[in-house]
Amino acid sequence: MSKFKIEVDGKTLEYPILVGSENEKAVDIAKLRADTGFITIDHGFLNTGSCASAITFLDGELGILRYRGYPIEQLAEKSSFVEVAYLLNWGKLPTSAELSAFEKKVASFSTLPEYITKMIQLMPKTTHPMAIASAITVALSGHYPELNNPNPTPAQKDEIFALMLGQFKIITAAIHRTLRGEALVASNPTLSYCEDFMSMMGMKASKDVAKALDVLLILHADHEQNCSTSTVRVVGSSNASIFASISAGIDALWGPLHGGANQEVLEMLEEIQKAGGDAHKALERAKDKNDTFKLMGFGHRVYKNFDPRAKIIKKACDTVLAQLGVKDQLLDIAKGLEEKALADDYFKSRNLYPNVDFYSGIIYRALGIPTNMFTVMFALGRMPGWLAQWKELRETKETKIARPRQVYNGETVREYVDASKR
Ligand code: SDX
């Protein structure tokens, strides 16, 4: 492979080129500053890779998403969330015996340490569920001190993976029930992951709803180096514990520009409904540079085509609402908004399409999940992705502590002046 050449100060320098299995190319600039005194600047890391990874591949131009090479469409249709979690972590689909053993292992983490339940109950009822989720996740480290080790043994890695999937399911339900002043429902390890979750949430048991939930969790399971996953990697790179890394990822996901968008979409649709259902005003505000309003659930850093997950969720909306016999005007408003936006040059010229957050809230709402729990649902789905990416980081020999550079643009050197002379 030829080298990447740059010309600077009359010199031609060459840098190694990295080519991935899907022919993505990168230039390795590890020696750039030593050679030239230059660093690169790339606000928001639009063109900057932080790692090589074998977990998820996405092509934003073509709207492709694959977990360990398997297309998301096939996994959503044929797999289960626990099987997809196994795939993300161990890089292969499990045999039936492996899957059943793994399901039992995840289900075996069926109770929370008493202090964790008490902490959830002590949180003010006004606390956002994502704040509780993050605090509780890092507090869990107190119960498993031996698993705070940044270089766990293979057995400890397997334990952490199953433990976090099992416990976070219970934490999510415990937050939901506690904030509503309802008694906790014990986990029933004989149920499937989603059926047990629904039972602990106090949702009516239904195979259709469990399947819809399973698909939603699959679609959220990983998404390469997004903001929250990069946060998990950055915190993990300092040798902080897995609990701290995941807790930081939850905090990053909470942001309305990231996972918090699913809650914002619902609130935006309710606003439009209150104003008579006319999407026109929302579109005009989204286009107005003087207005900070954005069309939530639209646009994506990588997808400049349809987010393949949004397509699947949109289809699932119709199915689930029909199965539940739910008519939700917000779905009609969302579809109308999408149609108008996709016909509008502002959105078309910027390749702004519905993303994973645009329709997911409609289904969560139909399932009876309150709006302020939507982003915790996103975190529940993303848990296997964060864990798999943290494991890959810990097992990659090139891993170094994340410490970006900067270009300083503040005051140059100046002498201290006594207060009496200022
Ligand atoms: C997730 O990265 C991932 O993979 C994330 C995720 C995952 O699975 O982990 O897919 C999950 O976070 C999905 C995104 C959820 N967020 C939203 O729905 C919030 C609304 N979307 C925008 O805030 C925005 O589209 C982002 C944050 C998603 C992407 O922002 P970028 O890549 O920094 O793009 P940008 O803000 O530079 O936008 C480019 C242009 C700008 O206009 P101009 O300056 O060129 O005139 O498009 C405009 C933006 O103003 N624009 C929007 C818009 N999104 C972008 N204008 C109105 N409404 C929007 N939603």
Side-chain angles (χ1 to χ4, degrees):
M1 181 86 195
S2 62
K3 296 266 187 189
F4 191 91
K5 287 191 182 127
I6 59 165
E7 278 242 341
V8 62
D9 301 337
K11 289 185 289 180
T12 303
L13 297 158
E14 296 189 340
Y15 292 94
I17 289 177
L18 178 73
V19 182
S21 53
E22 289 285 351
N23 212 22
E24 294 168 308
K25 296 178 187 60
V27 51
D28 180 340
I29 55 166
K31 295 199 168 49
L32 180 70
R33 186 170 182 275
D35 291 350
T36 67
F38 278 70
I39 64 165
T40 58
I41 282 274
D42 183 18
H43 294 289
F45 309 122
L46 276 84
N47 307 287
T48 299
S50 61
C51 61
S53 174
I55 297 174
T56 290
F57 169 71
L58 58 87
D59 180 317
E61 282 67 36
L62 300 177
I64 291 172
L65 173 59
R66 300 189 199 123
Y67 293 159
R68 298 286 190 179
Y70 293 97
I72 192 68
E73 296 79 5
Q74 293 180 27
L75 294 171
E77 190 195 329
K78 300 178 179 155
S79 187
S80 70
F81 175 60
V82 176
E83 182 176 78
V84 163
Y86 186 104
L87 170 67
L88 288 169
N89 197 51
W90 284 285
K92 71 175 192 75
L93 287 170
T95 61
S96 338
E98 285 167 334
L99 179 58
S100 137
F102 180 56
E103 284 168 336
K104 284 197 183 67
K105 179 82 178 156
V106 170
S108 69
F109 294 100
S110 59
T111 52
L112 292 178
E114 200 191 339
Y115 77 96
I116 290 288
T117 309
K118 285 208 167 73
M119 278 181 72
I120 296 174
Q121 286 160 350
L122 284 171
M123 301 294 268
K125 293 290 176 279
T126 50
T127 313
H128 192 285
M130 283 296 271
I132 306 175
S134 163
I136 291 302
T137 298
V138 72
L140 212 46
S141 60
H143 193 66
Y144 303 98
E146 73 291 356
L147 297 182
N148 283 295
N149 163 10
N151 297 303
T153 63
Q156 285 176 326
K157 282 182 217 167
D158 295 354
E159 183 84 355
I160 288 169
F161 190 67
L163 150 77
M164 290 302 287
L165 289 181
Q167 294 277 275
F168 198 76
K169 170 186 70 171
I170 302 179
I171 288 167
T172 301
I175 291 170
H176 171 65
R177 301 282 293 181
T178 304
L179 286 180
R180 292 155 68 102
E182 294 164 347
L184 302 191
V185 176
S187 166
N188 175 353
T190 62
L191 295 175
S192 73
Y193 190 90
C194 283
E195 286 168 338
D196 186 30
F197 174 69
M198 287 164 51
S199 146
M200 289 189 290
M201 289 282 282
M203 294 161 71
K204 213 157 60 26
S206 132
K207 287 272 180 228
D208 288 336
V209 170
K211 175 67 188 154
L213 212 44
D214 208 59
V215 169
L216 279 173
L217 295 179
I218 289 172
L219 295 174
H220 285 82
D222 192 55
H223 213 241
E224 54 132 281
Q225 305 311 315
N226 59 82
C227 179
S228 53
T229 299
S230 298
T231 303
V232 169
R233 280 180 170 260
V234 166
V235 174
S237 76
S238 75
N239 281 6
S241 88
I242 180 66
F243 300 99
S245 306
I246 299 293
S247 174
I250 294 171
D251 293 329
L253 186 72
W254 188 4
L257 295 186
H258 189 15
N262 58 16
Q263 173 174 347
E264 300 276 329
V265 169
L266 236 291
E267 288 162 2
M268 173 183 76
L269 294 174
E270 285 171 337
E271 279 303 303
I272 295 170
Q273 185 183 37
K274 251 190 263 153
D278 174 8
H280 179 73
K281 189 156 172 290
L283 288 176
E284 289 314 305
R285 283 194 61 197
K287 291 154 55 173
D288 178 356
K289 286 299 159 207
N290 302 318
D291 190 332
T292 54
F293 176 83
K294 287 198 179 293
L295 199 61
M296 299 314 274
F298 251 75
H300 199 276
R301 169 60 56 77
V302 180
Y303 288 123
K304 299 309 170 195
N305 191 326
F306 248 92
D307 180 333
R309 303 166 296 176
K311 272 189 195 167
I312 297 170
I313 297 176
K314 181 180 175 185
K315 230 166 54 202
C317 276
D318 292 323
T319 322
V320 172
L321 268 61
Q323 283 163 347
L324 294 172
V326 167
K327 188 100 189 73
D328 188 348
Q329 197 209 357
L330 294 190
L331 177 56
D332 303 330
I333 291 173
K335 287 180 175 175
L337 203 51
E338 176 192 344
E339 201 182 322
K340 286 191 175 62
L342 296 186
D344 183 300
D345 191 50
Y346 172 91
F347 293 89
K348 277 196 301 191
S349 63
R350 292 169 176 80
N351 294 311
L352 303 176
Y353 291 88
N355 59 49
V356 69
D357 291 313
F358 191 61
Y359 285 105
S360 51
I362 301 273
I363 297 189
Y364 290 141
R365 181 174 133 109
L367 301 183
I369 294 169
T371 308
N372 71 349
M373 282 294 294
F374 287 3
T375 312
V376 183
M377 292 303 296
F378 194 142
L380 183 64
R382 187 52 54 90
M383 191 55 70
W386 285 334
L387 292 164
Q389 296 267 355
W390 179 85
K391 181 163 94 80
E392 186 177 65
L393 168 99
R394 303 303 320 160
E395 293 174 349
T396 301
K397 64 178 177 13
E398 292 85 358
T399 294
K400 297 173 80 62
I401 184 168
R403 202 270 183 226
R405 287 274 183 168
Q406 65 165 27
V407 171
Y408 175 72
N409 60 8
E411 297 284 346
T412 53
V413 66
R414 52 183 172 167
E415 297 302 310
Y416 182 84
V417 176
D418 282 344
S420 59
K421 296 197 186 78
R422 283 175 213 160

